[in-house]
Amino acid sequence: NGIRHIDVLVDRFGPERVLGGVALISVALAADGTVQHLNKLHKIVIGSRGSQANRHLAPLAELLGACGVDFTLSGNVVQAMWDKVVFLATLAGSTCLMRASVGDIMHTLAGESFVRTLFAECAAVAAVSGQALSDAQQGAYLATLTDPASGLMASMLRDVERGGPTEADHILGDLVQRAQILGVPTPLLELAYSHLQAYDRRRQTAMH
């Protein structure tokens, strides 16, 4: 998840050795260690981050295509990665802050307004970074994020509910840092991230 790790990998291994990918799947780790697949979504998107095709992509695409997974070889995988991080930051930020599913949030006084504004902030960071989401993608994400009948919640909320570590720094924190560097105002994103920082501080204190 996220895009923060790409720079680390490129610095360590070189740009020609780092591909891009997005996994779209909803899973949870049960108490007995079983990985539970929560719905039928199981999609993988991979591709070169630059204009030149990587020699490893063709055999990898052949392998994945034979696995029965919903697989796509993307010509613009970097955009797909940004699309997902905007969606995920909004979903995690809102469901963790509200401690509730999308549907429950929509039935509150300011829930829908909060989610739409948070999404707009995250999308603005992507746009100023040169990775603007298409109107169609924004519409599809907002439909999911504002569905009053949805039980969807971020896996990050499940991490919080079980008292475990989260990806807050990697997802929300990275977007906040990019926004600050680019001069993009993100007050709700900063609030959502601060909430998870406070949670983690309490968790770390309890561990010691």
Side-chain angles (χ1 to χ4, degrees):
N1 286 332
I3 51 178
R4 186 179 188 177
H5 57 286
I6 294 296
D7 291 339
V8 177
L9 293 171
V10 167
D11 287 344
R12 176 66 179 84
F13 299 106
E16 72 282 357
R17 293 187 175 91
V18 182
L19 302 176
V22 176
L24 301 170
I25 188 169
S26 182
V27 295
L29 187 64
D32 65 356
T34 302
V35 177
Q36 299 176 331
H37 192 176
L38 302 178
N39 56 32
K40 295 182 179 180
L41 180 65
H42 54 274
K43 183 173 183 178
I44 296 176
V45 180
I46 64 169
S48 292
R49 294 179 306 103
S51 57
Q52 187 172 358
N54 186 285
R55 63 186 177 87
H56 297 292
L57 279 174
L60 180 56
E62 183 179 355
L63 176 65
L64 290 172
C67 290
V69 175
D70 184 358
F71 163 71
T72 300
L73 181 59
S74 173
N76 192 0
V77 74
V78 173
Q79 184 64 57
M81 295 173 70
W82 271 96
D83 288 356
K84 182 181 178 182
V85 80
V86 167
F87 173 79
L88 183 57
T90 306
L91 178 65
S94 58
T95 59
C96 287
L97 187 64
M98 302 289 187
R99 292 292 201 275
S101 68
V102 165
D104 287 335
I105 293 171
M106 290 304 106
H107 287 91
T108 66
L109 176 65
E112 182 172 353
S113 174
F114 176 85
V115 170
R116 287 185 178 276
T117 305
L118 177 58
F119 179 83
E121 289 180 6
C122 296
V125 178
V128 176
S129 300
Q131 304 294 155
L133 278 66
S134 68
D135 290 343
Q137 186 65 82
Q138 291 193 53
Y141 279 157
L142 281 172
T144 299
L145 291 165
T146 60
D147 180 359
S150 174
L152 179 65
M153 60 181 67
S155 59
M156 202 178 297
L157 175 55
R158 290 191 287 273
D159 294 334
V160 170
E161 290 178 335
R162 66 179 177 84
T166 74
E167 295 178 303
D169 291 340
H170 192 72
I171 305 298
L172 283 78
D174 181 53
L175 275 188
V176 166
Q177 184 178 44
R178 291 173 188 272
Q180 291 174 341
I181 293 172
L182 296 169
V184 180
T186 56
L188 294 188
L189 180 61
E190 290 174 15
L191 173 64
Y193 178 45
S194 295
H195 162 256
L196 286 163
Q197 284 183 305
Y199 155 78
D200 192 57
R201 184 178 175 86
R202 288 191 69 194
R203 190 181 72 87
Q204 293 290 345
T205 301
M207 290 173 61
H208 294 90

